[in-house]
Amino acid sequence: MIDPQRSTPENLVARVRAVLPSLTPSAQIIARLILDDPATVARSTITELSAASSTSEATIVRTARVLGFSGYAQLRLALAAAAATRQVPDRLVPGDLAPDDPLSDVIAKVTRAEADALEDTAAQLSPERLGEVVDAITAARRIDVYGVAASGLVAADMSQKLLRIGLSAHAFTDAHLALTSAVLLRPGDVAVGVSCTGETPDVLEPMRRAHQAGATTVAITNNPRSALAEVSSHVLISAGRESAFRPGALASRISQLLLVDYVFVGVAQRTSEVSNEALRATRDALDQFVSESRPRPRKPS
C-alpha cells in the first residue's frame, strides 16, 4: 500500500511509476497521462480529465486513492505543487528505445532511465522505513536473500556485502534450496525477497514459508501492491521499467542495488565496531591470497 504520509511533490511521479504495472487498464491510462503531462493534468478538472482519458470520474477518484490521496482534488494540488517547485518538468521525455535509434539516442535514453530510477527510488524511501529494515537485519541471527535471474544478482550482492561485515547472510537463486532454507528460519531471522514484479513464484513461495516460520520478511520490489509486498513485514520500493529492448533492465536492477546499499550502510553504521573489524579481516585475507597467488618471477639462469 502507498503511505499517505509520503504523499509529497518530490515522490509523486516516482509513486505513479511504481504502481503503474499493478493498475487496471483504465487506471493505467490516467497514470500515463500524469507521467506524460503532469502540468496539464494539474490544470484539468475531473470532468476534463475523464473526457481526455475516456475513463469514468469514479476511476479517476479510485486512481487518486491508490496513489495515496483522498481524492482527485488532492492529487491535482500535489501535481500543481510539484510543477511550481519544478520537482517534475512540464512534460517528461519518453525513454523507450526504438530499433532504429542512433547510438547517441541510446546513450541519452539509457542514461535518463537509470538516473530516473535512482531518483525515484530515493524519493519513495522514508528514513523510518529504512530504519526498520536496518534494525531487523542488525539483530538477525541469520539472513536469507531470495532472487532469480537479474534479481538473483542483487540477492548475491546483498548477501556478499552483509557477509563482509560479519553477518550470517546467504543468497538463494534456486527455488528448491530457497524453500529448504526458508522452512528452517525462525523468529528473529530475516528473509529478503528480491523481485521486480513481486510475483515471481521462485521468490514468492520461499518468502511465504519464511513468513509462516516466524521470520521477519522484507520485500525489494517495483510493485508495492504485489503478492510479495503483501507477505512482507517491510517493503522497500525500487523504481525502473522493463522494456522490449531491455528485459531485466539495468534501471530496475540498479534501483534494487541502491536499496541494498542503503541497507548495508545503515547496518554497518549500527555495528561499526564489529563491521570495521570484519572488513579489515576480510580485506587482509583477500590481499594475502592475491599476493601469494601471483606467479613469482623466475631467477635468471
Side-chain angles (χ1 to χ4, degrees):
M1 292 294 292
I2 298 298
D3 185 354
Q5 295 181 348
R6 296 288 293 162
S7 299
T8 63
E10 291 83 356
N11 65 26
L12 176 54
V13 169
R15 287 185 287 112
V16 175
R17 286 193 184 116
V19 301
L20 182 62
S22 65
L23 296 176
T24 65
S26 296
Q28 284 187 5
I29 294 172
I30 298 165
R32 288 193 177 97
L33 286 174
I34 293 172
L35 293 174
D36 290 343
D37 203 346
T40 296
V41 175
R43 293 191 296 266
S44 301
T45 66
I46 192 169
T47 302
E48 291 169 339
L49 184 58
S50 176
S53 61
S54 300
T55 62
S56 68
E57 294 184 7
T59 298
I60 295 172
V61 173
R62 284 195 297 270
T63 304
R65 288 175 178 167
V66 167
L67 295 174
F69 300 94
S70 59
Y72 178 60
Q74 289 70 29
L75 173 59
R76 284 184 68 190
L77 287 173
L79 285 168
T85 57
R86 296 185 179 180
Q87 295 294 342
V88 295
D90 286 341
R91 180 171 293 275
L92 300 176
V93 178
D96 286 339
L97 293 165
D100 56 351
D101 276 346
L103 289 179
S104 58
D105 284 1
V106 170
I107 294 171
K109 289 182 177 181
V110 172
T111 301
R112 171 66 182 271
E114 315 315 352
D116 283 349
L118 294 176
E119 291 176 3
D120 289 354
T121 299
Q124 295 177 87
L125 181 62
S126 70
E128 295 78 17
R129 184 173 300 164
L130 177 61
E132 291 171 351
V133 174
V134 168
D135 287 343
I137 290 178
T138 300
R141 175 188 70 100
R142 166 177 160 184
I143 305 103
D144 277 3
V145 194
Y146 311 126
V148 296
S151 293
L153 300 175
V154 178
D157 181 75
M158 185 174 198
S159 67
Q160 182 266 343
K161 281 185 167 70
L162 295 176
L163 188 64
R164 285 290 302 271
I165 57 173
L167 276 69
S168 179
H170 306 277
F172 295 90
T173 58
D174 176 271
H176 291 195
L177 291 176
L179 284 167
T180 301
S181 179
V183 298
L184 297 177
L185 295 178
R186 63 193 193 202
D189 295 335
V190 173
V192 182
V194 186
S195 170
C196 181
T197 64
E199 304 292 344
T200 307
D202 295 43
V203 174
L204 188 54
E205 189 56 28
M207 287 290 284
R208 283 179 176 147
R209 296 301 185 96
H211 178 74
Q212 292 169 3
T216 299
T217 47
V218 178
I220 296 179
T221 179
N222 278 33
N223 188 351
R225 304 175 72 209
S226 62
L228 178 61
E230 290 177 2
V231 79
S232 298
S233 313
H234 308 285
V235 182
L236 301 178
I237 306 300
S238 54
R241 297 183 298 124
E242 306 282 313
S243 74
F245 286 91
R246 293 185 301 143
L250 178 59
S252 298
R253 190 166 66 255
I254 198 170
S255 59
Q256 294 172 344
L257 289 169
L258 179 64
L259 289 171
V260 167
D261 282 351
Y262 288 149
V263 172
F264 167 73
V265 172
V267 172
Q269 287 179 322
R270 301 280 175 89
T271 61
S272 59
E273 186 173 340
V274 173
S275 61
N276 285 337
E277 176 60 24
L279 283 171
R280 185 199 61 76
T282 55
R283 188 182 302 113
D284 288 349
L286 292 173
D287 287 346
Q288 182 179 359
F289 173 77
V290 171
S291 176
E292 293 177 351
S293 299
R294 289 189 184 131
R296 299 181 183 278
R298 294 182 179 179
K299 293 182 180 180
S301 55

